[in-house]
Amino acid sequence: MSANIFARLRRTALSLNFGAGEKLGNALDDARLQTLERALIEADVGPTASRRVLEKLREARFSGSEAELQGAVLEEKIQSLLAEIIASELRAYARPLQIDSAHRPHVILASGVNGGGKTTSLGKLAALLKGGGHSVLLAAGDTFRAAAIDQLRVWAERAGVAIEAGEAGMDAAALAYGALHRAREEGFDVLLIDTAGRLQNRGDLMAQTEKMLRVLRKLDESAPHDSLLVLDGTVGQNALSQVRAFREVAEVSGLIVTKLDGAAKGGVLLALCEEGGLPIHYVGLGEGIEDLHPFDADAFARALAGGAG
């Protein structure tokens, strides 16, 4: 992530608030660690991950000269250490999305609740993949809302990719089937399928995703090759319940986390990794077509700890 992108994560930063004259040698006593634990929990890191981060901080060893650090230098030291601990928790989950040339098209399904940025993220992903040299077909599988179809048409035009779209109210699985047939016939590298925004407690709507999977597999038994869940980074711990629900019906293989530029609860990424062990492929850091970025665990950890980019 560039310095400019890094700066957009500032709202998620922890507030450390070390007192004047406080030294590293006594700054990490039990009271200070409890304060840091509260800050982590308020950032939605979650209690288990927070305790693990703080335990690693407690076990840190410092030289005699470091124990005398105070003021801004002290804060920078703690921020740096926290960032490294957080990054070590996240690095294994920062995995770029890999397009498998053995599958043509490589089918990617996108799920998520209304308002989470799913359709927007799919349009941005189409632009990213096209920029990487892939031919892309977008499928407007959110047939529940005419506005969603129109929105994806706009994103297809912005990204300069093809789109398969039908009328509002048509069977979403039939749309997906037709899109996969077209993608195979015309030799597209990637098929990106949007789905209707679903509340995870609506069994009837969730069943539509299961039907879409069954229909796609009539043409390609291995499809979808990636099933991405798009999560709003501002909803905090509620994202965990979405992961649990969508994993059951959409066979989720990876995550896109949106709106982190406006989230004071970005610590939920640690809780998400701990909860499901799913890779975080991309994060959304703005409204522009270029504002979907591969997840960088180190840059995110520095932002969360409040350090410099």
Side-chain angles (χ1 to χ4, degrees), residues 135-149:
S135 58
V136 179
L137 176 63
L138 273 172
D142 184 354
T143 58
F144 185 72
R145 297 180 303 127
I149 298 171

Side-chain angles (χ1 to χ4, degrees), residues 81-102:
L81 184 57
L82 266 176
E84 176 54 35
I85 293 170
I86 292 168
S88 70
E89 295 268 319
L90 291 172
R91 286 187 189 114
Y93 304 98
R95 303 179 209 162
L97 186 67
Q98 299 292 330
I99 302 302
D100 187 353
S101 60

Side-chain angles (χ1 to χ4, degrees), residues 253-305:
S253 61
L255 306 176
I256 296 176
V257 184
T258 66
K259 307 180 186 181
L260 283 179
D261 54 317
K265 296 181 178 292
V268 74
L269 267 65
L270 279 86
L272 284 170
C273 293
E274 181 178 60
E275 167 73 23
L278 293 168
I280 301 171
H281 296 306
Y282 298 99
V283 293
L285 296 170
E287 297 298 323
I289 196 167
E290 73 286 353
D291 290 327
L292 186 71
H293 306 276
F295 177 54
D296 183 329
D298 290 270
F300 176 80
R302 291 194 300 273
L304 185 60

Side-chain angles (χ1 to χ4, degrees), residues 58-80:
R58 187 194 304 272
E59 293 172 354
R61 296 290 179 265
F62 305 101
S63 68
S65 59
E66 286 179 322
E68 298 300 311
L69 295 177
Q70 56 184 302
V73 180
L74 163 63
E75 186 162 335
E76 289 174 9
K77 179 66 179 180
I78 299 298
Q79 287 170 337
S80 176

